[in-house]
Amino acid sequence: MSRTLTAMSGPVSEESQRGSPGALVSVISNRTSNLLARGALLFSVGVFLALVLNLLQVQRNVTLFPPDVLGSVFSSAWWVPPCCGTASALIGLLYPCMDRRLGEPHRFKREWSSVMRCVAVFVGINHASAKVDFANNVQLSLTLAALSIGLWWTFDRSRSGFGLGVSIALLATLTTQLLVYNGVFQYTSPDFLYIRSWLPCIFFAGVITMGNIGRQLALYEYKFLQEKSHQD
């Protein structure tokens, strides 16, 4: 009799546990906390890269900020790192989401060593724009464009990654033009509507880099949840 009751109660309890509101709330809360954790990490990475890369540009006198908006020891406006961090978090969360929506999972070089090399190449591209002397801005722009596309081909090769990179780079360039036009900061020797012509290439490379970081974090989270579910 006890065996019969146990056999009858087993499936019912499992089914009720799966369909219970508490289990659903727990799943949603776990996903939300994981999403917030990924966003916070991406924000931190974006702030750190913004400080380092802006320091390179200021040392070369590529960017100039008015004295009244200097807000940090890195000679940068105070709002630049938070804005870059927010954009990095949005981009890093958007890339894996778009991969799922488009049914185009990112399967190319999915390991942390590849992501670290991508970050290194991105910093190298920024270093070249700030340190290497070119004959003219056209030569510099073409060189950085080739390097940026090479970065996408080496570490991404997805159509969604390229499309989002171009779209976000154009939007960021337009925003920068508006900021320069309103006198928030300025570029030395601008050659394209108040800004440097190579700036879209830097934005494109940055979007690809943060997108790869976001994809790898999403993949790591998926593997962790899969292992946890198997253990349970």
Side-chain angles (χ1 to χ4, degrees):
M1 184 68 177
S2 60
R3 292 182 180 179
T4 305
L5 292 175
T6 303
M8 293 177 62
S9 61
V12 174
S13 61
E14 292 179 359
E15 185 175 354
S16 61
Q17 184 177 1
R18 291 177 183 176
S20 63
L24 180 60
V25 172
S26 177
V27 171
I28 294 176
S29 62
N30 288 334
R31 289 180 179 177
T32 303
S33 61
N34 292 333
L35 189 67
L36 292 176
R38 277 194 289 144
L41 184 57
L42 289 166
F43 178 85
S44 302
V45 173
V47 169
F48 175 76
L49 289 177
L51 292 174
V52 173
L53 300 178
N54 186 73
L55 182 60
L56 291 175
Q57 302 293 336
V58 171
Q59 287 179 347
R60 181 66 183 273
N61 292 326
V62 174
T63 56
L64 297 175
F65 292 87
D68 55 340
V69 297
L70 295 180
S72 72
V73 294
F74 295 97
S75 298
S76 171
W78 66 269
W79 47 267
V80 172
C83 288
C84 292
T86 303
S88 299
L90 293 176
I91 293 169
L93 296 176
L94 180 62
Y95 261 69
C97 180
M98 290 298 297
D99 291 338
R100 291 192 299 267
R101 293 288 183 180
L102 298 177
E104 184 183 6
H106 184 65
R107 303 182 183 277
F108 184 70
K109 292 188 176 182
R110 296 191 303 180
E111 63 273 349
W112 280 112
S113 60
S114 176
V115 174
M116 294 300 102
R117 288 195 298 269
C118 182
V119 174
V121 173
F122 172 60
V123 175
I125 292 175
N126 281 269
H127 187 270
S129 68
K131 297 294 184 181
V132 180
D133 292 324
F134 288 85
N136 51 58
N137 287 329
V138 175
Q139 183 180 358
L140 174 60
S141 301
L142 293 177
T143 301
L144 293 183
L147 291 175
S148 300
I149 295 177
L151 183 142
W152 167 79
W153 180 257
T154 304
F155 301 103
D156 193 321
R157 295 191 186 182
S158 64
R159 292 173 295 178
S160 60
F162 186 84
L164 283 174
V166 172
S167 301
I168 297 175
L170 293 177
L171 180 61
T173 302
L174 178 60
T175 303
T176 305
Q177 289 178 345
L178 294 176
L179 292 176
V180 174
Y181 179 78
N182 290 320
V184 178
F185 61 92
Q186 62 185 5
Y187 286 89
T188 59
S189 303
D191 60 322
F192 178 69
L193 295 179
Y194 313 108
I195 64 172
R196 293 295 187 93
S197 58
W198 45 260
L199 196 61
C201 304
I202 299 297
F203 285 142
F204 176 80
V207 171
I208 298 300
T209 301
M210 296 309 304
N212 280 339
I213 296 175
R215 282 166 165 168
Q216 194 64 27
L217 288 174
L219 178 63
Y220 179 80
E221 176 187 322
Y222 174 76
K223 289 182 177 180
F224 176 77
L225 293 177
Q226 287 292 105
E227 292 177 358
K228 185 177 180 181
S229 63
H230 287 319
Q231 292 176 358
D232 294 340

